[in-house]
Amino acid sequence: MFQRILIVEDDPLIAMELESIANQLGYCVAGIARSFESARIFAPRADIALVDVNLADGATGPRVAQYLSEEFAVSVVMVTGNPEALGDALSGPIGVVSKPAKPATIEALLGFVIALRNNTPIAPPPELRLFSRSARDC
């Protein structure tokens, strides 16, 4: 199944790196959003989203994650430099990965998320900290 990736990141260099990794892995990037509003524009085109916490409009990443997952059934993973600040009970995202994330981490992460979307149970990559709700609910 073809999966479209939305990158929600306000740092242009990190966004371009994530886009490059996704493209090299054969994924289509649905867009790069820098804020909650721009994420709303790309939301209908996305299947999976990689979302930072701090965006151009502030610490709106968790709100973006909840919106994408609840309104559009997008599978969301937070990608942030400060994962400890998120706690364990976010509503919406599957889990969190620390930045900077290596290409192999992004590849394993996307494979895991696609397996979840296809109801194919596989072990999560070690770099992914799952949130307390069951990842099978995604």
Side-chain angles (χ1 to χ4, degrees), residues 58-76:
T60 58
R63 187 171 139 223
V64 169
Q66 183 175 5
Y67 174 78
L68 292 172
S69 71
E70 290 179 1
E71 299 296 322
F72 294 92
V74 173
S75 298
V76 179

Side-chain angles (χ1 to χ4, degrees), residues 24-91:
Q24 288 173 10
L25 294 170
Y27 296 104
C28 175
V29 174
I32 297 175
R34 298 188 64 228
S35 65
F36 181 81
E37 279 306 311
S38 58
R40 287 180 56 184
I41 292 167
F42 292 115
R45 301 181 216 157
D47 301 303
I48 299 169
L50 304 176
V51 180
D52 190 11
V53 172
N54 294 306
L55 302 172
D57 55 355
T60 58
R63 187 171 139 223
V64 169
Q66 183 175 5
Y67 174 78
L68 292 172
S69 71
E70 290 179 1
E71 299 296 322
F72 294 92
V74 173
S75 298
V76 179
V77 174
M78 305 301 294
V79 181
T80 182
N82 189 11
E84 296 80 23
L86 292 174
D88 272 338
L90 274 183
S91 173

Side-chain angles (χ1 to χ4, degrees), residues 2-17:
F2 184 70
Q3 302 291 315
R4 298 162 299 173
I5 313 298
L6 172 59
I7 298 165
V8 185
E9 169 65 62
D10 68 327
D11 183 309
L13 294 176
I14 294 171
M16 287 177 11
E17 180 181 0

